[in-house]
């Protein structure tokens, strides 16, 4: 298979498709009826220092992903070459909730460590660490796959993120989303913020957690190609693979689902949080129902269905690969976005990942808001098309390189 069938044009097309939908979703609930999402319905803490079996109880490896584990640093997401993009996705979803990850970002110019919440209709909330910026981390979000602008991202302080473990938290509610580093709030996005289009592009549908390490700029050729140039700029430039491996370590992840259900489904095609139906009673490992969401409506019976209409708004964020963004400060460049899909498959080269980018800004606190939205999608239960696209892109890029 190699590239014989791929032309530059098709590559460009693949890249642009990835760009506009960072991650791919196998069934977009705003386009048609899709299978319901299994709910976390409680709190799960995954101890990556306990090894693979503990992780595989709660997460699934993307195709081509291999992680190694040690009792001190936890799970290692290793980038040795452009063909690596180790990524895992939680098996279940949260519908508003709080997520904490204790991790150490990967070094390396062009390398991007990511921790993202993604929904089936491409709402997304992100943390992204650029290997070229050891003391910063970027926040971002997308609503319904809208990647028309890249002004939603902010860059905030995360000192020595590549040598020290920090706890990065996303507290996602219907009225606002709050990003914190070691308990210090670094960004608050309100549902009604202009950058979230007054709620229209605010992340508000059931999400799952995706963690991955990928390369936003595999080499000089990627830095020069139109399809990947923007992402390369955002990522800081081409990766020097002689410095590999570039490792992102994840020690633990705690997901608290504010919803209380066995599954979540879309009651209509609106993609609105108020359309989400919670079915079944929650039976998480720990309970907690935090705030909003469906807890109020929490259902208890087995097949009861409740709509989360009680929530009022939500907040959202974005996922990783995709976009990048600028930061508060202002820089934004536009770039292309990339594909988060890249992360999804191991096979994919990270080159695919183009994200867009820009930004350099930094700020630390903030509430920046940006406006656009877009979301990302992600493969839900399977990686069909995206894999094909990513693989095609990877092969194509490989071909180009050679
Ligand atoms: C996408 O975002 C842009 C920029 O914020 C906005 O102008 C546009 O209306 C949005 N499109 C949709 C379909 O929400
Ligand atoms: C949190 C919660 O509701 N846990 C329940 C899950 O189901 C078992 C068995 O029915 C109960 O014993 C738990 O209390």
């Amino acid at each position: 298979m190699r590239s014989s069938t791929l032309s530059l044009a098709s590559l460009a097309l693949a890249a642009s498709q990835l760009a506009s939908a960072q991650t791919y979703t196998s069934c977009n609930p705003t386009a048609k009826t899709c299978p319901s999402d299994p709910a976390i319905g409680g709190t799960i803490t995954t101890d990556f220092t306990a090894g693979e079996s503990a992780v595989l109880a709660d997460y699934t490896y993307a195709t081509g992903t291999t992680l190694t584990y040690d009792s001190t640093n936890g799970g290692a997401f290793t980038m040795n070459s452009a063909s690596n993009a180790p990524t895992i996705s939680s098996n279940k979803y949260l519908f508003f909730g709080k997520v904490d990850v204790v991790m150490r970002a990967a070094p390396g110019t062009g390398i991007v460590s990511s921790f993202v919440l993604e929904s089936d209709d491409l709402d997304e909330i992100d943390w992204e660490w650029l290997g070229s910026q050891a003391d910063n981390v970027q926040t971002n979000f997308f609503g319904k796959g809208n990647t028309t602008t890249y002004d939603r991202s902010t860059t905030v302080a995360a000192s020595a993120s590549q040598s020290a473990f920090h706890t990065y938290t996303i507290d996602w509610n219907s009225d606002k989303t709050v990003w914190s580093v070691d308990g210090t709030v670094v960004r608050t996005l309100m549902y009604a913020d202009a950058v979230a289009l007054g709620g229209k592009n605010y992340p508000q549908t059931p999400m799952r957690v995706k963690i991955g390490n990928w390369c936003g700029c595999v080499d000089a050729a990627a830095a020069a190609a139109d399809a990947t140039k923007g992402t390369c700029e955002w990522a800081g430039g081409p990766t020097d693979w002689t410095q590999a491996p570039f490792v992102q370590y994840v020690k633990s992840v705690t997901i608290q689902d504010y919803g209380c259900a066995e599954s979540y489904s879309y009651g209509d095609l609106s993609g609105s949080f108020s359309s989400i139906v919670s079915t079944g009673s929650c039976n998480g490992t720990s309970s907690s129902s935090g705030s909003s969401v469906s807890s109020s409506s929490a259902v208890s019976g087995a097949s009861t269905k409740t709509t989360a209409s009680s929530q009022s708004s939500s907040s959202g964020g974005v996922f990783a690969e995709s976009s990048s963004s600028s930061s508060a400060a202002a820089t934004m460049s536009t770039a292309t976005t990339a594909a988060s899909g890249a992360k999804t498959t191991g096979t994919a080269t990270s080159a695919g990942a183009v994200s867009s980018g820009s930004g350099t800004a930094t700020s630390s606190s903030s509430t920046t808001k940006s406006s656009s939205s877009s979301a990302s999608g992600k493969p839900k239960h399977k990686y069909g098309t995206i894999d094909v696209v990513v693989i095609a892109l990877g092969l194509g890029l490989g071909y180009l390189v050679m």
Side-chain angles (χ1 to χ4, degrees), residues 41-42 260 281-288:
C260 182
S281 57
C282 59
N283 193 345
T285 50
S286 341
S287 60
S288 73

Side-chain angles (χ1 to χ4, degrees), residues 32-350:
K32 63 177 181 177
T33 299
C34 299
S36 63
D37 296 325
I40 291 168
T43 299
I44 54 172
T45 293
T46 306
D47 179 4
F48 285 63
T49 66
E52 185 170 66
S53 59
V55 172
L56 290 181
D58 302 324
Y59 293 84
T60 297
Y61 288 176
T63 303
T65 293
T66 298
L67 301 187
T68 54
Y69 297 87
D70 75 67
S71 57
T72 302
N73 297 312
F77 291 67
T78 305
M79 290 293 291
N80 276 308
S81 74
S83 63
N84 296 142
T87 302
I88 63 173
S89 300
S90 63
N91 297 331
K92 296 182 178 179
Y93 290 65
L94 64 155
F95 180 38
F96 295 115
K98 185 177 175 185
V99 181
D100 299 287
V101 57
V102 179
M103 62 157 272
R104 213 174 89 180
T109 296
I111 300 298
V112 184
S113 298
S114 63
F115 183 89
V116 176
L117 306 187
E118 285 187 316
S119 69
D120 299 341
D121 65 353
L122 311 183
D123 280 354
E124 187 176 299
I125 304 177
D126 305 354
W127 280 115
E128 288 183 301
W129 297 259
L130 302 185
S132 56
Q133 297 185 23
D135 297 313
N136 292 327
V137 58
Q138 296 190 358
T139 72
N140 206 349
F141 76 93
F142 291 90
K144 306 291 175 285
N146 189 339
T147 54
T148 55
T149 60
Y150 299 96
D151 54 350
R152 295 171 303 279
S153 161
T154 69
T155 297
V156 302
S159 66
S161 68
Q162 298 165 8
S163 54
F165 281 91
H166 290 295
T167 298
Y168 300 90
T169 302
I170 292 172
D171 191 355
W172 175 49
N173 296 275
S174 58
D175 60 337
K176 68 182 176 186
T177 294
V178 179
W179 286 258
S180 302
V181 177
D182 293 332
T184 298
V185 174
V186 295
R187 181 182 191 181
T188 299
L189 171 73
M190 303 301 295
Y191 175 89
D193 281 348
V195 69
L197 304 186
K200 182 182 175 191
N201 274 180
Y202 181 86
Q204 55 194 284
T205 47
M207 305 253 198
R208 63 178 177 177
V209 172
K210 288 186 68 178
I211 307 169
N213 191 7
W214 57 289
C215 180
C217 193
V218 300
D219 56 24
D226 286 346
T228 48
K229 187 188 296 181
T231 302
C232 269
E233 289 174 4
W234 167 70
T239 295
D240 175 2
W241 296 103
T242 66
Q243 301 299 306
F246 305 111
V247 188
Q248 170 187 5
Y249 290 101
V250 174
K251 214 179 247 188
S252 71
V253 177
T254 295
I255 304 173
Q256 180 181 352
D257 182 5
Y258 288 162
C260 182
E262 286 174 1
S263 69
Y264 299 121
S265 57
Y266 291 65
D268 58 33
L269 305 180
S270 69
S272 161
F273 67 81
S274 60
S275 73
I276 303 302
V277 177
S278 299
T279 302
S281 57
C282 59
N283 193 345
T285 50
S286 341
S287 60
S288 73
S289 35
S291 23
S292 41
V293 184
S294 17
S295 32
S296 30
S297 35
V299 190
S300 7
S303 44
T304 325
K305 300 181 144 204
T306 320
T307 339
S309 37
S310 44
Q311 315 166 261
S312 9
S313 37
S314 50
S315 43
V318 179
F319 180 99
E321 326 164 35
S322 357
S323 59
S324 48
S325 35
S326 29
S327 35
T331 341
M332 1 200 129
S333 10
T334 353
T336 21
T337 326
S340 354
K343 304 178 149 197
T344 325
T345 359
T347 344
T349 24
S350 353

